[in-house]
Amino acid sequence: MSSSAVSWDPRALPDLTGRTVAVTGGNAGIGYFICEQLAAAGADVVILGRDPGRVATAVRSITSRTPDARVTSIPLDLVDPESVEAAAAALNRLDRLDALIHNAGLTQPGKRRETTRQGVEVALATNHLGHFALTALAMPALSATPGSRIVPIGSAITRMIGFDLDDLGSERSYGRQRAYAQSKHAVQVFGFELDRRLRAAGADIRSVVAHPGFGLDGASPRRERIEEPSALSRLTALLLAPISHGNDRAAWPAVRAAVDPDAEGGQYYGPARGGAGDPVPGRPPRSALDPGLGARLWTMSEELSGVEFRVPAARA
């Protein structure tokens, strides 16, 4: 175990001045607190979000707490290929991109299976394929920044519901929790397959997977018009306190994966107690590490997204 695994303090981040971190869905929930914490530590934060009003509210909230924070935004709708392409182009215009955190996600798909205009199940399109395409297209910015990182965000639900790659889009069997689990399995399998391909290419980019545990609005600090827990949600959070935590703490694994100097590609960060606790490296579900699944998913993701993902070779 590295010294960092013992000494890392999520409440006292290192100075991140000069680093640029982009966070999808950084305007609400866990993503908001990821951005707030990174900005407070000095990072230049880029929020990628679909709703301009909610993004602007998040920027104001962060700068009200850290007046000298550097926070900008880029429009992004993960189920719209044109929006994904435009967002990637904007990321490639940045001076540097030290980390891209795949936080945005659809956690509650509909009771009935819904698809995008391209015919892809919406949870899979939002949580995995949109991020797959965004990352592929933003590779120039990541490749140009030494030691950059990609942080796919998985879920503890993958330990409770298995992965069926042969029914990736839940066409044969649909249930809202199953569809969500399928999408998060895909995120994790992709994250580790990406790490294998980056290592094979000798690229100076790390793929570090994280999961937030069990984050609850009711256990989160209040943020006006962003996080405003009800009395009932506060009570529920108290009852679930031993196995859960607030969204501010659920942000810790992603933050550590993105900025811990000792974090390595292929690691998997999550709460120490599974659903809650300080962020520590752990072992993902077995399926996430299967190279055969990874290679098959990669091919399917290129076909479904319409984007060829070219892993960059080592820089001379």
Side-chain angles (χ1 to χ4, degrees), residues 285-309:
R286 184 178 301 175
S287 62
L289 301 176
D290 186 327
L293 281 179
R296 287 179 60 202
L297 175 67
W298 191 282
T299 299
M300 294 169 69
S301 299
E302 288 186 323
E303 292 173 352
L304 289 169
S305 68
V307 174
E308 182 181 3
F309 198 131

Side-chain angles (χ1 to χ4, degrees), residues 181-205:
Q182 283 283 94
S183 72
K184 284 300 184 177
H185 273 292
V187 167
Q188 294 176 170
V189 171
F190 160 66
F192 291 106
E193 176 65 14
L194 177 58
D195 173 66
R196 284 188 289 270
R197 295 188 182 218
L198 290 169
R199 287 174 183 268
D204 189 17
I205 306 171

Side-chain angles (χ1 to χ4, degrees), residues 2-265:
S2 73
S3 60
S4 175
V6 176
S7 63
W8 178 266
D9 185 352
R11 303 160 190 82
L13 299 182
D15 183 5
L16 302 178
T17 302
R19 302 216 205 154
T20 299
V21 182
V23 184
T24 67
N27 55 276
I30 295 170
Y32 168 79
F33 286 104
I34 291 172
C35 293
E36 185 181 277
Q37 291 166 23
L38 292 171
D44 289 15
V45 174
V46 183
I47 298 177
L48 295 99
R50 185 175 57 180
D51 186 324
R54 295 182 70 184
V55 170
T57 297
V59 172
R60 288 194 296 271
S61 180
I62 293 170
T63 54
S64 72
R65 285 164 177 76
T66 305
D68 59 348
R70 295 169 59 89
V71 188
T72 57
S73 63
I74 293 173
L76 172 65
D77 183 346
L78 285 163
V79 302
D80 181 347
E82 292 183 359
S83 176
V84 171
E85 185 175 356
L91 290 174
N92 287 329
R93 289 193 291 270
L94 297 174
D95 291 337
R96 61 185 298 123
L97 182 57
D98 295 88
L100 174 59
I101 301 177
H102 298 175
N103 165 78
L106 177 64
T107 59
Q108 289 291 330
K111 292 182 179 180
R112 296 183 178 180
R113 185 176 183 272
E114 300 175 16
T115 61
T116 66
R117 289 180 304 177
Q118 291 74 35
V120 179
E121 192 276 319
V122 292
L124 179 68
T126 304
N127 299 345
H128 169 56
L129 291 175
H131 285 119
F132 177 91
L134 179 70
T135 305
L137 296 171
M139 270 293 156
L142 291 160
S143 299
T145 308
S148 62
R149 300 182 190 183
I150 299 154
V151 184
I153 304 297
S155 171
I157 198 173
T158 57
R159 295 195 185 278
M160 297 175 273
I161 300 176
F163 187 35
D164 183 1
L165 185 57
D166 293 322
D167 191 26
L168 181 61
S170 302
E171 294 181 78
R172 292 200 309 264
S173 176
Y174 179 81
R176 62 197 312 177
Q177 289 302 306
R178 182 179 184 277
Y180 176 65
Q182 283 283 94
S183 72
K184 284 300 184 177
H185 273 292
V187 167
Q188 294 176 170
V189 171
F190 160 66
F192 291 106
E193 176 65 14
L194 177 58
D195 173 66
R196 284 188 289 270
R197 295 188 182 218
L198 290 169
R199 287 174 183 268
D204 189 17
I205 306 171
R206 284 170 269 185
S207 175
V208 188
V209 183
H211 80 89
F214 191 11
L216 296 177
D217 293 346
S220 306
R222 185 179 185 278
R223 297 291 185 266
E224 187 176 359
R225 297 180 61 194
I226 297 172
E227 197 75 83
E228 299 181 319
S230 66
L232 179 59
S233 69
R234 291 289 194 199
L235 176 59
T236 301
L238 283 174
L239 297 174
L240 295 173
I243 60 169
S244 65
H245 50 193
N247 289 330
D248 55 327
R249 296 189 176 206
W252 288 349
V255 170
R256 182 171 187 181
V259 304
D260 181 352
D262 291 338
E264 298 177 359

